Each structure stands twice: as C-alpha cells, then as structure tokens.
Amino acid sequence: MVTYRTVGRTGIQVSNLCFGTMSFGGIADKEASRALYLRSREKGINFFDTADIYNEGRAEEILGELIQGERNELVLTSKAGFPTGRDPNARGASRRHLLSSVEGSLRRLRTDRLEFYFIHRFDPLTPIEETLRTLDDLQRQGKILYPAVSNWAAWQIAKALGISAREGLARFELVQPMYNLVKRQAEVEILPLVQSEQLGAISYSPLGGGLLTGKYGVGKRPPSGRLVEQPNYTKRYADETNYIVADRFAAYAEERGYHPATLAVAWVLGHPGITAPIVGARNVEQLEPSLAALDVELTDEWRREITALSIDPPPATDRSEEV
Ligand SMILES: NC(=O)c1ccc[n+]([C@@H]2O[C@H](COP(=O)([O-])OP(=O)(O)OC[C@H]3O[C@@H](n4cnc5c(N)ncnc54)[C@H](OP(=O)(O)O)[C@@H]3O)[C@@H](O)[C@H]2O)c1
C-alpha cells in the first residue's frame, strides 16, 4: 500500500513511490502513457517526475494533458540543465536558461507552478550563487515551490547548502541520485548528506534501466530493451560484474517467489534516506511488479542478503580498516 511521506524539511506529502515519465512520448505512446498514469493514480501515487528533455518536451505535454482536472492533488517535478537545442545558452544552470526553461515546462504541463524544480546536472560554467539566486526568485514568484538537484556530487550539494544558508536563499530540499543494487555510489556520500541535512531523496533507475528484472544476465540479453538499444546505458552498465549480480539477484528473487523488479524496488524503498524510488516503465505490464514493491516489507535479514549479492562501494576515505 502507498504511504505518504514528508519531503525533507518541507510540508509536502508525497507517495512513497514516484512515477517517472521518461517513457512518455517515447517508448510509451499516448495511449500507453495514459494507462501508466491511470494505474499509478489508482495505486495512490500522487508524485510525478518529468524533465524538459524527455522526448523533446513530449513527456511534459502528455503529462500536462493527463493531469487536467486533478492538478491540485498532485506533486510535480521537472528539470532543466541538459541541452534542449544547439544554442550554447539552451543548457546549463544559468539565470538565462533557467528562466526560459521553467516557462517552457509550465506551458507544456499546463500548470502555473512546479512543486520541485531540479537542476538536472552540475554546470561547471555557472557560479552556484547565480543558480541559487535564480531558483530563489522563481520560488518567490510562485513558479516553483522548492529548488531541487540531481546528479551533483555530495560536495557540490553541500557547498550549495552552505551558500543558501549564508545568503538567505531557498535551499535545495530534494535530491535525485541514481541508486540501485549495482549502482550504490549514493550510499557513500549522498545519502548520508541527505540524512544529516534532512533533505528529501527520490532516486532513479531502481531497476538499473531493466538490468534487475531477470531479462539480463551473463551472456543473456533480451532482443530489445534499454541496455541493448541505448548506447549510454549499454556503457553505463557495461562492467560484467553487473550481469553477474543481475543473475544472482534474479535467482534470489525467484527462489522466494517474487518478480526481481519487485524486490529491486523494495530494496531501494527500504533505505532510510530514500523518500521514494522513481519507477519507470514502457507499459502497465512492466509497471505492475514495481508497484508490487509497495506491499513488500523487506526484513533486515533479506535486506542484508540482497545487499551482499552486490559489491559494497569503497568508503569515502580510503582508511577503512578500523571497525
Ligand atoms: N535525474 C536523472 O538524471 C534521471 C535519469 C534517469 C531516470 N530518471 C527518472 O527516473 C525514472 C525511472 O528511471 P528508469 O526508467 O531508469 O528506471 P528503471 O526502473 O531502472 O528502468 C525502467 C526500465 O526498465 C525496464 N523495465 C521496467 N519494468 C520491467 C519489467 N517488469 N520487466 C522487464 N523490463 C522492465 C523498461 O525498459 P525496457 O523495456 O527498455 O527494457 C523500463 O523503461 C524516469 O522515468 C525519470 O523520471 C531521472
């Protein structure tokens, strides 16, 4: 069952699963997107993640159409930062780009505000002060309710939190890191930062883009799917160890009578620093096992066993011999 959680130090209540719309207008056509949206709503999900770049704005347009009539019951995010065109200013976290990108997102989503607005990745060309001041202005204008950040290193987020406190600017209230059984970097610095600073965290790729669904393994690839079709994902998960873990994990889940996707999402959901994993799918059939995670409470023993199937990331300092 869905439960509702407070996002960090805000007063916003979100479902403990967020639905990610990266497939809308791409691998999920309008009809499939509608079915995914309705199934998520039926399950009690009130939290939807999107971005300006998802399928060149089509994901936002489709979501914008679907939310009409119930906008006030929803918590929406969007993002800016990845290139939306060839113009060198149509990217990054500059004042110029953020002000125009947020207008585009609001227009496509047919809404007057976004609950959370993510800087999609670190922009080494823009001073953090410029980004934070712009987000603070957008918050004062009511166009965004809270600034948020994705794919930044913990030191970059910590630096930004310090600047916000010093300058009296709205702080990042929510972070969006990648996190799954084979991509556990977030455990080292991001999630401890989240817990220490009482931030919200919604993590993406709980299934490793499909790796942890049972269809990938050593020498085992499906005829189609993101990790075989999208070069950036093929590269991201290329290390053979990932496929060894995927095999072990699928066998573990199947022995216990669960779809691997269900336990993969439940494992992320059970981390005390995570507010909600963001689940994604191309159709409702794929979505069901992820939604089923809401009805699984992993025991500490299962959690330890699942974690032990993968490789612990090295600690933040190399010195790890003392316990
Ligand atoms: N901030 C960021 O940089 C960032 C990056 C990525 C995603 N996100 C957000 O997070 C959301 C979720 O991320 P994600 O799509 O990477 O999550 P994911 O759950 O790791 O991967 C979803 C993909 O796995 C495959 N899949 C899902 N369920 C399956 C099943 N039951 N059986 C077989 N295959 C299944 C599908 O791909 P195939 O059918 O192609 O195999 C599906 O598109 C996105 O929609 C987006 O909102 C954010």
Side-chain angles (χ1 to χ4, degrees), residues 1-4 15 17 19 33-48 66 70 73-74 284-285 287-288 291-292 294-295:
M1 229 179 51
V2 153
T3 57
Y4 296 92
S15 48
L17 275 192
F19 181 81
S33 304
R34 182 180 161 73
L36 286 162
Y37 175 82
L38 292 177
R39 182 67 186 118
S40 302
R41 292 293 292 138
E42 189 178 55
K43 197 76 186 174
I45 291 176
N46 71 345
F47 196 12
F48 292 85
L66 292 168
E70 56 178 19
E73 291 163 42
L74 304 174
V284 171
E285 193 191 345
L287 180 62
E288 290 298 347
L291 295 180
L294 289 166
D295 303 311

Side-chain angles (χ1 to χ4, degrees), residues 20-22 27 49 54 79 120 150-151 176 204-210 213 215 225-226 233 259 278-282 286 289:
T21 62
M22 194 166 74
I27 56 171
D49 180 68
Y54 293 167
K79 315 185 189 82
H120 209 156
S150 182
N151 298 314
Q176 187 173 144
Y204 66 86
S205 292
L207 306 178
T213 60
K215 65 186 179 186
R226 198 188 299 172
Y233 277 86
H259 191 295
I278 315 175
V279 295
R282 63 168 69 221
Q286 281 192 346

Side-chain angles (χ1 to χ4, degrees), residues 44-154:
I45 291 176
N46 71 345
F47 196 12
F48 292 85
D49 180 68
T50 190
D52 57 351
I53 51 154
Y54 293 167
N55 303 308
E56 293 88 40
R58 288 194 301 282
E60 287 182 327
E61 280 168 6
I62 293 174
L63 183 61
E65 203 173 311
L66 292 168
I67 63 176
Q68 293 312 303
E70 56 178 19
R71 166 66 184 96
N72 286 340
E73 291 163 42
L74 304 174
V75 176
L76 301 182
T77 81
S78 194
K79 315 185 189 82
F82 278 91
T84 51
R86 290 163 58 110
D87 171 4
N89 283 304
R91 67 189 62 189
S94 69
R95 184 170 185 83
R96 188 181 191 281
H97 180 56
L98 295 181
L99 292 181
S100 73
S101 188
V102 79
E103 293 302 336
S105 290
L106 293 174
R107 190 181 64 248
R108 287 186 292 273
L109 284 162
R110 298 199 232 159
T111 186
D112 58 353
R113 84 279 181 195
L114 292 162
E115 275 75 11
F116 295 99
Y117 194 50
F118 282 99
I119 303 302
H120 209 156
R121 65 171 176 182
F122 189 70
D123 172 4
L125 303 179
T126 303
I128 296 178
E129 286 83 347
E130 175 174 334
T131 301
L132 294 174
R133 201 162 287 283
T134 307
L135 292 169
D136 188 79
D137 288 343
L138 288 171
Q139 188 192 53
R140 282 169 202 275
Q141 291 164 13
K143 292 182 178 171
I144 69 167
L145 303 196
Y146 301 102
V149 65
S150 182
N151 298 314
W152 283 27

